[in-house]
Amino acid sequence: MQRLLLVLVAAAGALVLGLEPPRGPCVAPLQWDGRMVQYDHSSGRNSRANISYDGVTRRIRILQTHRRHTPCQRFFEFIYLYDSMVMFQIEQKTKQCSKIALSEPWDPYDIPENSTFEDAYFIGGVGERVAVQEWSDRKPARKHETWVGVYTTRDCYPVQETYTRNSSVTTSTRFFDLQLGIRDPDVFTPPSTCQSARPERMAESTC
């Protein structure tokens, strides 16, 4: 009953804005290139990166970017290969490489079928706005959600994903400048330096 009431409230809010409540989650694109900003709430740091996402063969490549000199900061390329359950961390300047076993399962950028519809609204304002839908993994027996995803209504592009743990937000990731397809499939191939990769993760700072 409580879940039904929450769904009805969200649906009523969508109707007020002129948005029709969805019958179910949209289907997100399986392959795309774009950019992202991830905010780590524990450290208070933003991390900007280019991203290539391949949901077909479960691969993600993240290339950290920087616009100004950051003392002591190291920048990396990350290649996640979930079919092999390994991650390569490549230092951009020296090409030093670490090969690390993945412990978390594949978590695609999409809206799971059993998600709860939270809201529908416009990003922006009159004359320049984009319709989006907000979903979560909230269930009646659990007070707080651990995942909230915002996706565009028309093409189901990811806009933002937020994860929480123990009622505290851990990371918020925003996506933008997305282009369908993968321009260069070779970005998922680790460089030759990874043939002699170290087994431990490299530190992000040299200080």
Coordinates of all heavy atoms in Angstrom, one line a residue, residues 90-183:
I90 N 46.3 2.4 -15.9 CA 47.5 2.9 -16.6 C 47.8 4.3 -16.3 O 46.9 5.2 -16.5 CB 47.3 2.7 -18.1 CG1 46.9 1.2 -18.5 CG2 48.5 3.2 -18.9 CD1 45.5 1.0 -18.8
E91 N 49.0 4.6 -15.8 CA 49.4 6.0 -15.5 C 49.6 6.7 -16.9 O 50.4 6.2 -17.7 CB 50.6 5.9 -14.7 CG 50.8 7.2 -13.8 CD 51.4 8.3 -14.5 OE1 52.2 8.1 -15.4 OE2 51.1 9.5 -14.1
Q92 N 48.9 7.8 -17.1 CA 49.0 8.4 -18.4 C 50.3 8.9 -18.8 O 50.7 8.8 -20.0 CB 48.0 9.6 -18.4 CG 46.5 9.1 -18.3 CD 45.6 10.3 -18.5 OE1 45.9 11.3 -19.2 NE2 44.4 10.2 -17.9
K93 N 51.1 9.4 -17.9 CA 52.4 10.0 -18.3 C 53.5 8.9 -18.5 O 54.2 9.0 -19.5 CB 52.9 10.9 -17.2 CG 54.1 11.7 -17.5 CD 54.5 12.7 -16.4 CE 55.7 13.5 -16.8 NZ 56.0 14.5 -15.7
T94 N 53.6 7.9 -17.6 CA 54.7 6.9 -17.7 C 54.2 5.6 -18.4 O 55.1 4.8 -18.7 CB 55.2 6.6 -16.3 OG1 54.1 6.0 -15.6 CG2 55.6 7.8 -15.6
K95 N 52.9 5.4 -18.5 CA 52.3 4.2 -19.0 C 52.6 3.0 -18.1 O 52.4 1.8 -18.5 CB 52.9 3.9 -20.4 CG 52.5 4.9 -21.5 CD 51.1 5.2 -21.6 CE 50.7 6.3 -22.6 NZ 49.3 6.6 -22.7
Q96 N 53.0 3.2 -16.9 CA 53.0 2.1 -15.9 C 51.6 1.5 -15.7 O 50.6 2.2 -15.8 CB 53.5 2.6 -14.6 CG 55.0 3.0 -14.6 CD 55.5 3.5 -13.2 OE1 54.6 3.9 -12.4 NE2 56.8 3.5 -13.0
C97 N 51.6 0.2 -15.5 CA 50.3 -0.5 -15.5 C 50.1 -1.4 -14.3 O 51.1 -2.0 -13.9 CB 50.2 -1.3 -16.8 SG 48.6 -2.2 -17.0
S98 N 48.9 -1.4 -13.8 CA 48.5 -2.3 -12.8 C 47.4 -3.2 -13.3 O 46.5 -2.7 -14.0 CB 48.1 -1.6 -11.5 OG 49.2 -1.0 -10.9
K99 N 47.4 -4.4 -12.9 CA 46.3 -5.4 -13.3 C 45.7 -5.9 -12.0 O 46.3 -6.5 -11.2 CB 46.8 -6.5 -14.2 CG 45.8 -7.5 -14.6 CD 46.4 -8.6 -15.4 CE 45.3 -9.6 -15.9 NZ 45.9 -10.7 -16.7
I100 N 44.4 -5.6 -11.8 CA 43.7 -5.8 -10.6 C 42.4 -6.6 -10.8 O 41.7 -6.3 -11.7 CB 43.4 -4.5 -9.8 CG1 44.7 -3.7 -9.6 CG2 42.7 -4.8 -8.5 CD1 44.5 -2.3 -9.3
A101 N 42.2 -7.7 -10.0 CA 41.0 -8.5 -10.1 C 39.8 -7.7 -9.6 O 39.9 -7.0 -8.6 CB 41.1 -9.7 -9.3
L102 N 38.7 -7.7 -10.4 CA 37.5 -7.0 -10.0 C 36.7 -7.9 -9.0 O 36.6 -9.1 -9.1 CB 36.6 -6.8 -11.2 CG 37.2 -5.7 -12.2 CD1 36.4 -5.8 -13.5 CD2 37.2 -4.4 -11.6
S103 N 36.2 -7.2 -7.9 CA 35.5 -7.9 -6.9 C 34.0 -7.7 -7.0 O 33.2 -8.4 -6.5 CB 36.0 -7.6 -5.5 OG 35.9 -6.2 -5.3
E104 N 33.6 -6.5 -7.6 CA 32.2 -6.2 -7.8 C 31.7 -6.7 -9.1 O 32.3 -6.7 -10.1 CB 32.0 -4.7 -7.7 CG 32.5 -4.0 -6.4 CD 31.5 -4.4 -5.2 OE1 30.4 -4.7 -5.5 OE2 32.0 -4.5 -4.1
P105 N 30.4 -7.2 -9.1 CA 29.8 -7.7 -10.4 C 29.5 -6.5 -11.3 O 29.5 -5.4 -11.0 CB 28.5 -8.3 -9.9 CG 28.2 -7.6 -8.6 CD 29.5 -7.3 -8.0
W106 N 29.3 -6.9 -12.6 CA 29.0 -6.0 -13.6 C 27.7 -5.2 -13.3 O 26.7 -5.8 -12.9 CB 28.8 -6.7 -15.0 CG 28.1 -5.9 -16.1 CD1 26.9 -6.1 -16.6 CD2 28.7 -4.9 -16.8 NE1 26.7 -5.3 -17.6 CE2 27.8 -4.5 -17.8 CE3 30.0 -4.2 -16.8 CZ2 28.0 -3.5 -18.7 CZ3 30.2 -3.2 -17.8 CH2 29.3 -2.9 -18.7
D107 N 27.7 -3.9 -13.3 CA 26.6 -3.0 -13.0 C 26.4 -2.1 -14.2 O 27.0 -1.0 -14.3 CB 26.9 -2.3 -11.7 CG 25.7 -1.4 -11.3 OD1 24.6 -1.6 -11.9 OD2 25.8 -0.6 -10.4
P108 N 25.5 -2.5 -15.1 CA 25.4 -1.7 -16.4 C 24.7 -0.3 -16.1 O 24.0 -0.1 -15.1 CB 24.5 -2.5 -17.2 CG 23.7 -3.4 -16.3 CD 24.6 -3.6 -15.1
Y109 N 25.0 0.6 -17.0 CA 24.3 1.9 -17.0 C 22.9 1.8 -17.6 O 22.8 2.0 -18.8 CB 25.1 3.0 -17.7 CG 26.4 3.4 -16.9 CD1 27.6 3.3 -17.5 CD2 26.3 3.8 -15.6 CE1 28.8 3.6 -16.9 CE2 27.5 4.1 -14.9 CZ 28.7 4.0 -15.6 OH 29.9 4.4 -14.9
D110 N 22.0 1.3 -16.8 CA 20.6 1.1 -17.3 C 19.7 1.2 -16.1 O 20.1 1.4 -15.0 CB 20.4 -0.1 -18.1 CG 20.6 -1.4 -17.3 OD1 20.8 -1.3 -16.0 OD2 20.6 -2.5 -17.9
I111 N 18.4 1.0 -16.4 CA 17.4 1.0 -15.3 C 16.9 -0.5 -15.1 O 16.2 -1.0 -16.0 CB 16.2 1.9 -15.7 CG1 16.7 3.3 -16.0 CG2 15.2 2.0 -14.5 CD1 15.6 4.2 -16.6
P112 N 17.2 -1.1 -14.0 CA 16.7 -2.5 -13.8 C 15.2 -2.6 -13.9 O 14.5 -1.7 -13.6 CB 17.2 -2.8 -12.4 CG 18.4 -1.9 -12.2 CD 18.1 -0.6 -12.9
E113 N 14.7 -3.7 -14.4 CA 13.3 -3.9 -14.5 C 12.5 -3.8 -13.3 O 11.4 -3.3 -13.3 CB 13.1 -5.3 -15.1 CG 13.3 -5.4 -16.6 CD 12.3 -4.6 -17.4 OE1 11.1 -4.5 -17.0 OE2 12.7 -4.1 -18.5
N114 N 13.1 -4.1 -12.1 CA 12.4 -4.1 -10.9 C 12.5 -2.7 -10.1 O 12.3 -2.6 -8.9 CB 12.8 -5.2 -9.9 CG 14.3 -5.1 -9.6 OD1 15.0 -4.4 -10.2 ND2 14.7 -5.9 -8.6
S115 N 13.0 -1.7 -10.9 CA 13.2 -0.4 -10.3 C 11.9 0.3 -9.9 O 10.8 0.0 -10.5 CB 14.0 0.5 -11.2 OG 15.3 0.0 -11.5
T116 N 11.9 1.3 -9.0 CA 10.7 2.0 -8.6 C 10.8 3.4 -9.3 O 11.8 4.1 -9.2 CB 10.7 2.2 -7.1 OG1 10.6 0.9 -6.5 CG2 9.5 3.0 -6.6
F117 N 9.7 3.7 -9.9 CA 9.6 5.1 -10.6 C 9.4 6.1 -9.5 O 8.5 6.0 -8.6 CB 8.4 5.1 -11.5 CG 8.1 6.5 -12.1 CD1 9.0 7.1 -12.9 CD2 6.9 7.1 -11.7 CE1 8.7 8.3 -13.5 CE2 6.7 8.4 -12.2 CZ 7.6 9.0 -13.1
E118 N 10.3 7.1 -9.5 CA 10.3 8.2 -8.5 C 9.6 9.5 -9.0 O 8.8 10.1 -8.3 CB 11.7 8.5 -8.0 CG 12.4 7.3 -7.3 CD 11.8 7.0 -6.0 OE1 10.9 7.7 -5.5 OE2 12.2 6.0 -5.4
D119 N 10.0 9.9 -10.2 CA 9.5 11.2 -10.7 C 9.8 11.4 -12.2 O 10.7 10.7 -12.7 CB 10.2 12.3 -9.9 CG 9.4 13.6 -9.9 OD1 8.4 13.7 -10.6 OD2 9.8 14.6 -9.1
A120 N 9.2 12.3 -12.8 CA 9.5 12.7 -14.1 C 9.4 14.3 -14.2 O 8.5 14.9 -13.6 CB 8.5 12.2 -15.1
Y121 N 10.4 14.9 -14.8 CA 10.5 16.3 -14.8 C 11.4 16.8 -15.9 O 12.0 16.0 -16.7 CB 11.1 16.8 -13.4 CG 12.3 16.1 -12.9 CD1 13.6 16.5 -13.3 CD2 12.2 15.0 -12.1 CE1 14.7 15.9 -12.9 CE2 13.3 14.4 -11.6 CZ 14.6 14.8 -12.0 OH 15.7 14.1 -11.6
F122 N 11.5 18.1 -16.0 CA 12.3 18.8 -17.0 C 13.6 19.3 -16.4 O 13.6 19.9 -15.4 CB 11.6 19.9 -17.7 CG 10.4 19.5 -18.6 CD1 9.1 19.7 -18.2 CD2 10.6 18.8 -19.8 CE1 8.1 19.3 -18.9 CE2 9.6 18.4 -20.6 CZ 8.3 18.7 -20.1
I123 N 14.8 19.1 -17.1 CA 16.0 19.7 -16.7 C 16.1 21.0 -17.6 O 16.0 20.9 -18.8 CB 17.2 18.8 -17.0 CG1 17.2 17.6 -16.0 CG2 18.5 19.6 -16.8 CD1 18.3 16.6 -16.3
G124 N 16.3 22.1 -17.0 CA 16.3 23.4 -17.7 C 15.1 24.1 -17.4 O 14.4 24.0 -16.4
G125 N 14.7 25.0 -18.4 CA 13.5 25.8 -18.2 C 12.8 26.0 -19.6 O 13.1 25.4 -20.6
V126 N 11.9 27.0 -19.6 CA 11.1 27.2 -20.8 C 12.0 27.6 -21.9 O 12.9 28.5 -21.8 CB 10.1 28.4 -20.5 CG1 9.3 28.7 -21.8 CG2 9.1 27.9 -19.4
G127 N 11.8 27.0 -23.1 CA 12.6 27.3 -24.2 C 13.9 26.4 -24.4 O 14.4 26.3 -25.5
E128 N 14.3 25.8 -23.3 CA 15.5 25.0 -23.3 C 15.4 24.0 -22.2 O 15.9 24.3 -21.1 CB 16.8 25.8 -23.2 CG 18.1 25.0 -23.5 CD 19.3 25.8 -23.4 OE1 19.2 27.0 -23.2 OE2 20.4 25.2 -23.7
R129 N 14.9 22.8 -22.5 CA 14.7 21.9 -21.4 C 14.7 20.4 -22.0 O 14.4 20.2 -23.2 CB 13.4 22.1 -20.6 CG 12.1 22.1 -21.5 CD 10.9 22.5 -20.6 NE 9.7 22.3 -21.3 CZ 8.5 22.6 -20.8 NH1 8.4 23.0 -19.6 NH2 7.4 22.4 -21.5
V130 N 15.0 19.5 -21.1 CA 15.1 18.1 -21.5 C 14.2 17.3 -20.5 O 14.4 17.4 -19.3 CB 16.5 17.6 -21.5 CG1 16.5 16.1 -21.9 CG2 17.3 18.3 -22.6
A131 N 13.3 16.4 -21.0 CA 12.5 15.6 -20.1 C 13.3 14.4 -19.7 O 14.0 13.7 -20.4 CB 11.3 15.1 -20.9
V132 N 13.2 14.1 -18.3 CA 14.0 13.0 -17.8 C 13.0 12.2 -16.8 O 12.0 12.7 -16.4 CB 15.2 13.5 -17.0 CG1 16.2 14.2 -17.9 CG2 14.8 14.4 -15.8
Q133 N 13.5 11.0 -16.5 CA 12.8 10.2 -15.6 C 13.7 9.8 -14.5 O 14.9 9.6 -14.7 CB 12.2 8.9 -16.2 CG 11.3 9.1 -17.4 CD 10.9 7.8 -18.1 OE1 11.4 6.7 -17.6 NE2 10.2 7.9 -19.1
E134 N 13.2 9.7 -13.2 CA 14.1 9.3 -12.1 C 13.6 8.0 -11.5 O 12.4 7.8 -11.3 CB 14.0 10.4 -11.0 CG 14.9 10.2 -9.8 CD 14.9 11.3 -8.9 OE1 15.2 12.5 -9.3 OE2 14.5 11.1 -7.7
W135 N 14.5 7.1 -11.4 CA 14.2 5.7 -10.8 C 15.1 5.4 -9.7 O 16.1 6.0 -9.5 CB 14.3 4.7 -11.9 CG 13.4 4.9 -13.1 CD1 13.5 5.7 -14.1 CD2 12.2 4.1 -13.4 NE1 12.5 5.6 -15.0 CE2 11.7 4.6 -14.6 CE3 11.5 3.1 -12.7 CZ2 10.5 4.1 -15.1 CZ3 10.4 2.6 -13.2 CH2 9.9 3.1 -14.4
S136 N 14.7 4.4 -8.9 CA 15.5 4.0 -7.7 C 15.3 2.5 -7.5 O 14.4 1.9 -8.0 CB 15.2 4.8 -6.5 OG 14.0 4.3 -5.8
D137 N 16.1 2.0 -6.6 CA 16.0 0.6 -6.1 C 15.2 0.5 -4.8 O 15.3 -0.5 -4.1 CB 17.3 -0.1 -6.0 CG 18.2 0.5 -5.0 OD1 17.9 1.6 -4.4 OD2 19.3 -0.1 -4.7
R138 N 14.5 1.6 -4.4 CA 13.8 1.6 -3.2 C 12.7 0.6 -3.2 O 12.0 0.4 -4.1 CB 13.2 3.0 -2.9 CG 12.3 3.2 -1.7 CD 11.9 4.6 -1.5 NE 11.3 5.1 -2.8 CZ 10.0 4.9 -3.1 NH1 9.3 4.1 -2.4 NH2 9.6 5.4 -4.3
K139 N 12.6 -0.1 -2.0 CA 11.5 -1.1 -1.8 C 10.8 -0.8 -0.5 O 11.3 -0.2 0.4 CB 12.2 -2.5 -1.8 CG 12.9 -2.9 -3.1 CD 11.9 -3.0 -4.2 CE 12.6 -3.5 -5.5 NZ 13.4 -2.5 -6.1
P140 N 9.5 -1.2 -0.4 CA 8.8 -0.9 0.8 C 9.4 -1.4 2.1 O 9.3 -0.7 3.1 CB 7.5 -1.7 0.6 CG 7.3 -1.8 -0.9 CD 8.8 -2.0 -1.4
A141 N 10.1 -2.5 2.1 CA 10.7 -3.0 3.3 C 12.0 -2.2 3.7 O 12.6 -2.4 4.8 CB 11.0 -4.5 3.2
R142 N 12.5 -1.4 2.8 CA 13.8 -0.7 3.0 C 13.5 0.8 2.9 O 13.0 1.3 1.9 CB 14.9 -1.1 2.0 CG 16.2 -0.5 2.4 CD 17.3 -1.0 1.4 NE 17.1 -0.7 0.1 CZ 17.1 -1.5 -1.0 NH1 17.3 -2.8 -0.7 NH2 16.9 -1.1 -2.2
K143 N 13.8 1.5 4.0 CA 13.5 3.0 4.0 C 14.3 3.8 3.0 O 13.7 4.7 2.3 CB 13.7 3.5 5.4 CG 13.3 5.0 5.6 CD 13.5 5.4 7.0 CE 13.0 6.9 7.2 NZ 13.2 7.3 8.6
H144 N 15.6 3.5 2.9 CA 16.4 4.3 2.0 C 16.8 3.5 0.8 O 17.1 2.3 0.8 CB 17.6 4.8 2.8 CG 17.3 5.6 4.0 ND1 16.9 6.9 3.9 CD2 17.4 5.3 5.3 CE1 16.7 7.4 5.1 NE2 17.0 6.5 5.9
E145 N 16.9 4.2 -0.4 CA 17.4 3.6 -1.6 C 18.9 3.6 -1.6 O 19.5 4.4 -0.9 CB 16.9 4.3 -2.8 CG 17.3 5.8 -2.9 CD 16.4 6.7 -2.2 OE1 15.4 6.3 -1.6 OE2 16.7 7.9 -2.1
T146 N 19.5 2.7 -2.3 CA 21.0 2.6 -2.4 C 21.4 3.1 -3.8 O 22.6 3.3 -4.0 CB 21.5 1.2 -2.2 OG1 21.0 0.3 -3.2 CG2 21.1 0.7 -0.8
W147 N 20.4 3.3 -4.7 CA 20.8 3.7 -6.1 C 19.6 4.6 -6.6 O 18.4 4.3 -6.4 CB 21.0 2.6 -7.0 CG 20.9 2.9 -8.5 CD1 22.0 3.4 -9.2 CD2 19.8 2.9 -9.4 NE1 21.6 3.7 -10.5 CE2 20.3 3.3 -10.7 CE3 18.5 2.4 -9.2 CZ2 19.4 3.4 -11.8 CZ3 17.6 2.5 -10.3 CH2 18.1 3.0 -11.6
V148 N 20.0 5.7 -7.2 CA 19.0 6.6 -7.9 C 19.6 6.9 -9.3 O 20.7 7.4 -9.4 CB 18.7 7.9 -7.1 CG1 17.8 8.8 -7.9 CG2 18.1 7.6 -5.8
G149 N 18.8 6.7 -10.3 CA 19.3 6.9 -11.7 C 18.3 7.9 -12.4 O 17.1 7.8 -12.3
V150 N 18.9 8.9 -13.1 CA 18.1 9.8 -13.9 C 18.5 9.6 -15.3 O 19.7 9.6 -15.7 CB 18.4 11.3 -13.5 CG1 17.6 12.2 -14.3 CG2 18.1 11.5 -12.0
Y151 N 17.5 9.3 -16.2 CA 17.7 9.0 -17.6 C 16.7 9.9 -18.4 O 15.6 10.2 -18.0 CB 17.4 7.5 -17.8 CG 18.5 6.6 -17.4 CD1 18.7 6.4 -16.0 CD2 19.3 6.0 -18.3 CE1 19.8 5.6 -15.6 CE2 20.4 5.2 -17.9 CZ 20.6 5.0 -16.5 OH 21.6 4.2 -16.1
T152 N 17.2 10.2 -19.6 CA 16.3 11.0 -20.5 C 15.1 10.2 -21.0 O 15.2 9.0 -21.1 CB 17.1 11.5 -21.8 OG1 17.6 10.4 -22.5 CG2 18.3 12.4 -21.3
T153 N 14.0 10.9 -21.1 CA 12.8 10.2 -21.5 C 12.8 9.7 -22.9 O 12.3 8.6 -23.1 CB 11.6 11.2 -21.3 OG1 11.5 11.6 -19.9 CG2 10.3 10.5 -21.6
R154 N 13.3 10.4 -23.8 CA 13.1 10.1 -25.2 C 14.1 8.9 -25.6 O 13.7 7.9 -26.2 CB 13.4 11.3 -26.2 CG 13.0 11.0 -27.6 CD 13.3 12.2 -28.5 NE 14.7 12.4 -28.7 CZ 15.2 13.3 -29.5 NH1 14.4 14.2 -30.2 NH2 16.5 13.4 -29.7
D155 N 15.4 9.1 -25.3 CA 16.3 8.1 -25.8 C 17.0 7.3 -24.7 O 17.8 6.4 -24.9 CB 17.5 8.8 -26.6 CG 16.9 9.4 -27.9 OD1 16.1 8.7 -28.6 OD2 17.3 10.5 -28.2
C156 N 16.6 7.5 -23.4 CA 17.1 6.8 -22.3 C 18.6 6.9 -22.1 O 19.3 6.0 -21.7 CB 16.7 5.3 -22.4 SG 16.5 4.5 -20.8
Y157 N 19.1 8.1 -22.3 CA 20.5 8.3 -22.1 C 20.7 8.5 -20.5 O 19.9 9.2 -19.9 CB 21.0 9.6 -22.7 CG 21.2 9.5 -24.2 CD1 20.5 10.3 -25.1 CD2 22.1 8.6 -24.8 CE1 20.7 10.3 -26.5 CE2 22.3 8.5 -26.2 CZ 21.6 9.3 -27.0 OH 21.8 9.2 -28.3
P158 N 21.8 8.0 -20.0 CA 22.0 8.3 -18.5 C 22.4 9.7 -18.3 O 23.2 10.3 -19.1 CB 23.2 7.3 -18.2 CG 23.9 7.1 -19.5 CD 22.8 7.1 -20.5
V159 N 21.8 10.4 -17.3 CA 22.1 11.7 -16.9 C 22.9 11.8 -15.6 O 23.9 12.5 -15.5 CB 20.8 12.6 -16.8 CG1 21.1 14.0 -16.3 CG2 20.1 12.6 -18.2
Q160 N 22.4 11.0 -14.7 CA 23.1 11.0 -13.4 C 22.8 9.7 -12.6 O 21.6 9.2 -12.7 CB 22.6 12.2 -12.5 CG 23.3 12.2 -11.1 CD 23.1 13.5 -10.4 OE1 23.1 14.6 -11.0 NE2 23.0 13.5 -9.1
E161 N 23.8 9.2 -11.9 CA 23.6 8.0 -11.1 C 24.2 8.3 -9.7 O 25.3 8.9 -9.6 CB 24.2 6.8 -11.7 CG 23.5 6.3 -12.9 CD 23.6 4.7 -13.1 OE1 24.5 4.1 -12.4 OE2 22.8 4.2 -13.8
T162 N 23.4 8.0 -8.7 CA 23.9 8.3 -7.3 C 23.8 7.0 -6.5 O 22.7 6.3 -6.5 CB 23.0 9.4 -6.6 OG1 23.0 10.6 -7.4 CG2 23.5 9.7 -5.2
Y163 N 24.8 6.7 -5.8 CA 24.9 5.5 -4.9 C 25.0 5.9 -3.5 O 25.7 6.9 -3.1 CB 26.0 4.6 -5.3 CG 25.8 3.8 -6.6 CD1 26.1 4.4 -7.8 CD2 25.2 2.6 -6.6 CE1 25.9 3.7 -9.0 CE2 25.0 1.9 -7.7 CZ 25.3 2.4 -8.9 OH 25.1 1.7 -10.1
T164 N 24.3 5.2 -2.6 CA 24.4 5.5 -1.2 C 24.7 4.2 -0.4 O 24.5 3.1 -0.9 CB 23.1 6.0 -0.6 OG1 22.0 5.0 -0.8 CG2 22.7 7.3 -1.3
R165 N 25.3 4.4 0.8 CA 25.6 3.2 1.6 C 25.5 3.7 3.1 O 26.0 4.7 3.5 CB 27.1 2.7 1.4 CG 27.5 1.5 2.2 CD 28.8 1.0 1.8 NE 28.9 0.6 0.4 CZ 30.0 0.3 -0.3 NH1 31.1 0.4 0.3 NH2 29.9 -0.1 -1.5
N166 N 24.8 2.9 3.8 CA 24.5 3.2 5.2 C 23.9 4.6 5.4 O 24.2 5.4 6.2 CB 25.8 3.2 6.1 CG 26.4 1.8 6.1 OD1 25.6 0.8 6.1 ND2 27.7 1.7 6.1
S167 N 22.9 4.9 4.5 CA 22.2 6.2 4.5 C 23.0 7.4 4.1 O 22.5 8.5 4.2 CB 21.5 6.4 5.8 OG 20.6 5.3 6.2
S168 N 24.2 7.2 3.6 CA 25.1 8.3 3.2 C 25.4 8.2 1.8 O 25.8 7.1 1.3 CB 26.4 8.3 4.1 OG 26.1 8.5 5.4
V169 N 25.4 9.3 1.0 CA 25.7 9.3 -0.4 C 27.2 9.0 -0.5 O 28.0 9.7 0.2 CB 25.3 10.6 -1.0 CG1 25.8 10.6 -2.5 CG2 23.8 10.8 -1.0
T170 N 27.6 8.1 -1.4 CA 29.0 7.8 -1.6 C 29.5 8.5 -2.9 O 30.5 9.2 -2.9 CB 29.2 6.3 -1.7 OG1 28.4 5.7 -2.7 CG2 28.9 5.7 -0.3
T171 N 28.8 8.2 -4.0 CA 29.3 8.9 -5.3 C 28.1 9.3 -6.1 O 27.0 8.7 -6.0 CB 30.1 7.9 -6.2 OG1 29.2 6.7 -6.4 CG2 31.3 7.4 -5.5
S172 N 28.3 10.4 -6.8 CA 27.3 11.0 -7.7 C 28.0 11.1 -9.0 O 29.1 11.8 -9.1 CB 26.7 12.3 -7.3 OG 26.0 12.2 -6.0
T173 N 27.5 10.6 -10.1 CA 28.1 10.6 -11.4 C 27.2 11.3 -12.4 O 26.0 10.9 -12.6 CB 28.5 9.2 -11.9 OG1 29.3 8.6 -10.9 CG2 29.3 9.3 -13.2
R174 N 27.7 12.3 -13.1 CA 26.9 13.0 -14.2 C 27.5 12.7 -15.5 O 28.7 12.6 -15.7 CB 26.9 14.5 -13.9 CG 26.2 15.0 -12.7 CD 26.2 16.5 -12.5 NE 27.5 17.0 -12.2 CZ 28.2 17.8 -12.9 NH1 27.8 18.1 -14.1 NH2 29.4 18.2 -12.5
F175 N 26.6 12.5 -16.5 CA 27.0 12.1 -17.9 C 26.6 13.2 -18.8 O 25.5 13.8 -18.7 CB 26.4 10.8 -18.3 CG 26.8 9.6 -17.3 CD1 25.9 9.3 -16.3 CD2 27.9 8.9 -17.5 CE1 26.2 8.3 -15.4 CE2 28.2 7.8 -16.7 CZ 27.4 7.5 -15.6
F176 N 27.4 13.5 -19.9 CA 27.1 14.5 -20.8 C 27.8 14.3 -22.1 O 28.8 13.5 -22.2 CB 27.3 15.9 -20.3 CG 28.6 16.1 -19.6 CD1 29.7 16.6 -20.3 CD2 28.8 15.8 -18.2 CE1 30.9 16.8 -19.6 CE2 30.0 16.0 -17.6 CZ 31.1 16.5 -18.3
D177 N 27.4 15.0 -23.2 CA 28.1 14.9 -24.5 C 28.1 13.4 -25.0 O 29.1 13.0 -25.6 CB 29.5 15.4 -24.5 CG 29.5 16.9 -24.3 OD1 28.4 17.6 -24.5 OD2 30.6 17.5 -23.9
L178 N 27.0 12.7 -24.8 CA 27.0 11.3 -25.2 C 26.8 11.1 -26.7 O 26.0 11.9 -27.3 CB 25.9 10.5 -24.4 CG 26.4 9.8 -23.1 CD1 26.9 10.8 -22.2 CD2 25.2 9.1 -22.5
Q179 N 27.5 10.2 -27.3 CA 27.4 9.8 -28.7 C 27.2 8.3 -28.8 O 27.9 7.6 -28.3 CB 28.6 10.3 -29.5 CG 28.9 11.8 -29.5 CD 27.9 12.6 -30.4 OE1 27.3 12.0 -31.3 NE2 27.7 13.8 -30.0
L180 N 26.2 7.9 -29.6 CA 25.9 6.5 -29.8 C 27.1 5.8 -30.5 O 27.7 6.4 -31.4 CB 24.6 6.3 -30.5 CG 23.3 6.5 -29.8 CD1 22.1 6.3 -30.7 CD2 23.2 5.7 -28.5
G181 N 27.3 4.6 -30.1 CA 28.4 3.8 -30.7 C 29.8 4.1 -30.1 O 29.9 5.0 -29.3
I182 N 30.7 3.3 -30.4 CA 32.1 3.4 -29.9 C 33.0 3.8 -31.1 O 33.2 3.0 -32.0 CB 32.6 2.1 -29.2 CG1 31.6 1.8 -28.1 CG2 34.0 2.3 -28.8 CD1 31.9 0.4 -27.5
R183 N 33.5 5.0 -31.0 CA 34.3 5.5 -32.1 C 35.6 4.7 -32.4 O 36.0 4.5 -33.5 CB 34.7 7.0 -31.8 CG 35.4 7.7 -33.0 CD 35.5 9.2 -32.7 NE 36.1 9.4 -31.3 CZ 36.1 10.6 -30.8 NH1 35.7 11.7 -31.4 NH2 36.6 10.8 -29.6

